[in-house]
Amino acid sequence: MSRRMTVYDITRGIDEYRHGLSDERYESSLTFADLPAKLMIKVFSYLSHSELCRICLVSKRWRELAYDSRLWTNLRLRPEFGGLSVSNVSQFVDLIGSRFSTALRSIDLPCELITVPVLEEIARQCVNLRYMTLDFSKAMQLHDYNDLVDFPANLYYLCVCLSDVIFMEGLMRKIYHCLSTVQVLHLIGTFEQSSEEEEEIYEVINISKIKAHTPNLRVVNLYGVMFVDDSHVELLSFNCVHLECVALNFCIKVTGSSLKNLLEKCKKIKTLLLHHCELVDAHMMAVDWEHSHVKELDITSTELSANCLENVLTRIRSLEYLAVGYCDFFTDAVMEKLMETGNLRELRAIDISYTCNLSEPVIGKFIKRYGPQLLGLMLHGKPLLNEFFWTANIPLLKNIKICTLGQRDGWYFELNTKVHIDQVINAFASHCPKMERLEIQWDVATIRFSHKSGKFIDDIRTRCPFLQSLTLADGGYYEMANSNFERAQRSRVVRTFNRYATSIVQLLSCYGDLLFN
C-alpha cells in the first residue's frame, strides 16, 4: 500500500524531472504551475485539509485551487481525530456557503461548533449533505436551540456522541422532524471513559422519540451507552421493520430479554453484535433462532454457558460471521456439535481467541474443514498453538485476508520453547497471497530470529501485495520488519499491537455503515 502523498513529494518529483532534462529542453519544459487546473486539483486531492490550508499560501492560483469545493466534500473539524481546528465560529459560518456549499457530503462537528447559526447555514447551503457527526462527548453545557428552525433534512447517516451530563432533548425536539431519511444511526456512549466507581447514570437522550421519527432505519449502533437496557432494545421492535443490523456492544445492562420480540418483528435483521453484554442463558435460549435471518453474531466476552452456546449456535441456520472470543464455555463439545450440524458451511470469519477450553486437535479439525473458505481468523491467546501447528495449517488458509495469532506476554503461561518466526512468515508468504492484515502477538522474548530473517520479510512484502498491516510486538524483530518496509516506501504497514488492534469486524456485511469516530 503506497503512503499518503505530501507537498514535499510533489515538489521533489517536479525537481527531479526538471533536473533530468538537458539544458536545452529545460528552458521549454513545463513547471507544476503550468499544469491544467483539473490535474492540479487531482494532485491536491491526495493532501489533507491541513496541508491544503498551508499550500494556499504559495500563490493566488494555488489558493483558488486549494479552496475548490471538490476538495472539501468530507469535512473533519475535531483536531483530536486529525481534523481542522476552528477558532472563529462566525468566519466558519461565512465559509459554509462560499467554500463547501452543495459539494459537502460529510461533516463532523465538535460541541463548540454545534450552534444555531452553524446548523442553519449547513441546512440551507449544503443540500447534498448525507453524513453528519455531532460530538457532545466533551460538552459541559448545551447551547440554546430555542431559535433553531432549520436542520439538514436529507441525512443518510447520523452519529451523536453523548455526554454523561448533557441532556439532549433541547436540541432533539427541534430536529426530530428532519430525521425521517436517516438509515444509519449511531449513539455513542461513555463506556470507555467510565470508572470503576459507581456513578448515577442518566438517560440523556430519548431513544423512543428518535425511533418514532426514523422509520427507515437499517443500522442502529448503541455503542457503550450506559443507560441502555432491554426496554430500549424492545422499542426497536416497533416502527423499525427495515432493520438489518443492531449493535449493542458494551451496553452492560442488556440481558437479551427483548431479543425474542426484536427478531420476530424485525425479520430483516442479519447482524447482531452483543459484545460485552450481560446476556442471560434463559433469554438467549428463548429466541426463535431457527426462523430468524441472523447470519452474523458477536457474543465476545459474554458469560453464556456451554449448554446455552450449543443451543443457540446450532439453531442458527447458517453463520457467516461468528465472534466468541473470551468465552470460557465455548468448548470442544460446542465446536464439534456446531461442525456436525453444518451451520458453518457459509462461514467466512471467526474469532475464537482466548477460548481456554477449546483444544488444539479440535481447532485443527475445524481449520482442515473450513480453512479454505475463511477470510478472517482470530486465534490469538492460545499458548499451545506453536509454530508447528501454524506451519501445518497455514497452507489451508489460502483465501485468508485477516489473521491474528500468538499470545501476549503475561497471559496464561510462558512458552518453554522459542518460536521460529521465519517459518511462520514463510508459510503466510507462500500460501496466503490475499493477506491484508496480519497480527503476530508473540513477544520478542518468545520468538527466534536472526539477520537472515530479512529474506523472509522480503518474501511476505513481495508475495502478499495487498498487505496493509503487519502488527508485531515492539522490539528487535519489529525494528527489522519496519526498516524493510520503509525501504520499499511502505512505512505505514508495520505496526505494534500497543497502538493498533487487528480485527475481523471489517468483514461484516455492514462494516462501512458501522464506522464511527
Side-chain angles (χ1 to χ4, degrees):
M1 182 179 66
S2 60
R3 62 186 180 87
R4 173 184 281 276
M5 183 182 293
T6 65
V7 178
Y8 172 74
D9 295 319
I10 296 171
T11 55
R12 186 182 64 177
I14 295 169
D15 289 341
E16 288 175 353
Y17 170 72
R18 291 168 62 177
H19 289 306
L21 297 174
S22 63
D23 292 340
E24 295 79 10
R25 292 180 61 196
Y26 177 80
E27 294 298 330
S28 61
S29 65
L30 293 174
T31 66
F32 183 71
D34 296 321
L35 291 176
K38 185 177 181 179
L39 290 180
M40 291 187 70
I41 289 175
K42 179 62 177 177
V43 173
F44 288 171
S45 69
Y46 290 94
L47 305 179
S48 67
H49 285 164
S50 59
E51 290 171 328
L52 288 175
C53 291
R54 289 198 295 272
I55 67 170
C56 73
L57 302 175
V58 173
S59 67
K60 182 178 179 180
R61 184 166 186 254
W62 279 40
R63 179 184 178 87
E64 292 174 353
L65 295 173
Y67 287 163
D68 189 288
S69 60
R70 287 171 289 183
L71 298 175
W72 297 82
T73 57
N74 302 302
L75 189 57
R76 302 288 173 258
L77 298 173
R78 293 181 293 171
E80 63 270 28
F81 295 108
L84 296 175
S85 176
V86 176
S87 56
N88 191 312
V89 178
S90 60
Q91 288 182 0
F92 173 69
V93 173
D94 295 336
L95 288 174
I96 291 173
S98 61
R99 187 181 304 177
F100 314 129
S101 188
T102 57
L104 191 63
R105 296 272 300 172
S106 169
I107 189 171
D108 64 6
L109 296 171
C111 54
E112 58 269 20
L113 291 181
I114 308 174
T115 63
V116 171
V118 171
L119 294 178
E120 290 186 339
E121 188 68 6
I122 290 174
R124 284 193 293 265
Q125 301 290 345
C126 308
V127 294
N128 293 317
L129 186 68
R130 295 292 180 267
Y131 298 80
M132 187 174 220
T133 296
L134 304 176
D135 189 350
F136 294 94
S137 61
K138 296 183 179 180
M140 298 304 295
Q141 184 176 352
L142 200 66
H143 292 283
D144 183 2
Y145 296 103
N146 287 328
D147 296 330
L148 182 65
V149 296
D150 209 356
F151 188 82
N154 294 310
L155 293 176
Y156 167 82
Y157 170 110
L158 177 63
C159 176
V160 182
C161 301
L162 304 174
S163 166
D164 281 336
V165 296
I166 299 296
F167 289 85
M168 300 296 302
E169 189 60 22
L171 170 64
M172 299 304 297
R173 60 187 171 84
K174 291 289 187 175
I175 69 173
Y176 283 133
H177 66 284
C178 299
L179 303 182
S180 60
T181 61
V182 173
Q183 296 187 39
V184 179
L185 175 67
H186 292 263
L187 298 181
I188 309 304
T190 57
F191 175 82
E192 294 180 349
Q193 304 170 14
S194 61
S195 61
E196 295 183 359
E197 298 179 6
E198 288 192 11
E199 298 178 356
E200 191 169 359
I201 299 174
Y202 302 101
E203 188 166 342
V204 296
I205 196 167
N206 194 321
I207 294 178
S208 176
K209 289 185 179 179
I210 294 177
K211 182 269 308 179
H213 290 85
T214 51
N216 296 307
L217 280 181
R218 290 176 40 255
V219 177
V220 174
N221 178 24
L222 308 178
Y223 180 90
V225 183
M226 302 291 282
F227 66 82
V228 166
D229 58 23
D230 295 290
S231 65
H232 298 96
V233 180
E234 183 81 24
L235 293 172
L236 300 176
S237 304
F238 306 96
N239 198 37
C240 292
V241 295
H242 301 295
L243 269 182
E244 297 174 11
C245 171
V246 176
L248 304 170
N249 293 341
F250 300 98
C251 292
I252 57 178
K253 291 188 175 182
V254 172
T255 66
S257 63
S258 56
L259 292 179
K260 186 176 187 295
N261 286 338
L262 179 67
L263 294 178
E264 285 178 354
K265 295 180 179 179
C266 301
K267 299 290 187 181
K268 295 182 180 181
I269 293 180
K270 176 183 178 180
T271 306
L272 195 56
L273 308 180
L274 305 169
H275 187 142
H276 204 79
C277 291
E278 292 293 327
L279 301 179
V280 174
D281 285 4
H283 298 332
M284 293 295 287
M285 291 191 286
V287 177
D288 187 10
W289 297 103
E290 295 92 339
H291 297 96
S292 74
H293 289 81
V294 173
K295 291 180 176 290
E296 299 174 335
L297 180 64
D298 185 348
I299 48 176
T300 302
S301 297
T302 56
E303 297 294 330
L304 298 175
S305 68
N307 181 48
C308 177
L309 289 170
E310 180 177 324
N311 179 284
V312 170
L313 297 178
T314 56
R315 287 195 290 136
I316 298 177
R317 289 180 295 179
S318 179
L319 279 165
E320 297 178 2
Y321 177 104
L322 177 62
V324 288
Y326 295 90
C327 288
D328 292 344
F329 300 105
F330 189 82
T331 63
D332 287 350
V334 175
M335 178 62 93
E336 292 271 15
K337 191 67 176 180
L338 197 52
M339 291 191 289
E340 182 183 321
T341 60
N343 292 7
L344 303 179
R345 59 187 177 277
E346 297 180 8
L347 188 71
R348 64 175 187 274
I350 189 169
D351 177 1
I352 46 178
S353 54
Y354 292 106
T355 47
C356 56
N357 290 309
L358 195 59
S359 68
E360 177 183 347
V362 173
I363 296 173
K365 181 179 178 181
F366 165 79
I367 293 178
K368 184 176 181 180
R369 181 178 300 183
Y370 298 104
Q373 71 190 50
L374 288 180
L375 302 180
L377 173 64
M378 294 185 69
L379 198 46
H380 55 275
K382 306 287 292 181
L384 296 180
L385 303 185
N386 54 26
E387 66 180 278
F388 303 107
F389 172 88
W390 284 107
T391 52
N393 287 282
I394 288 173
L396 300 172
L397 304 173
K398 58 183 180 180
N399 289 308
I400 202 73
K401 292 183 177 181
I402 303 171
C403 187
T404 67
L405 63 150
Q407 67 158 5
R408 298 192 186 190
D409 183 33
W411 281 89
Y412 297 98
F413 54 86
E414 290 187 23
L415 295 176
N416 293 323
T417 58
K418 297 275 189 177
V419 173
H420 292 75
I421 190 69
D422 293 343
Q423 302 303 317
V424 177
I425 293 292
N426 180 60
F428 278 116
S430 301
H431 302 285
C432 307
K434 299 179 182 179
M435 180 66 73
E436 296 178 4
R437 302 182 186 277
L438 174 61
E439 180 169 315
I440 301 175
Q441 293 197 358
W442 289 304
D443 58 59
V444 68
T446 303
I447 62 175
R448 176 179 293 176
F449 66 97
S450 67
H451 65 279
K452 296 181 180 180
S453 298
K455 173 184 177 299
F456 298 97
I457 298 173
D458 282 335
D459 286 344
I460 196 168
R461 176 173 51 78
T462 57
R463 300 172 73 176
C464 298
F466 304 107
L467 189 65
Q468 298 176 32
S469 70
L470 174 59
T471 309
L472 305 166
D474 201 0
Y477 188 75
Y478 161 80
E479 296 296 341
M480 177 184 290
N482 190 41
S483 298
N484 186 294
F485 276 81
E486 282 184 342
R487 288 194 297 271
Q489 296 187 337
R490 297 175 65 186
S491 58
R492 298 191 177 193
V493 173
V494 183
R495 314 173 185 187
T496 64
F497 55 67
N498 292 326
R499 298 183 178 181
Y500 178 82
T502 304
S503 175
I504 57 172
V505 292
Q506 64 180 274
L507 297 174
L508 288 167
S509 59
C510 55
Y511 171 71
D513 289 329
L514 285 170
L515 290 174
F516 68 91
N517 263 336

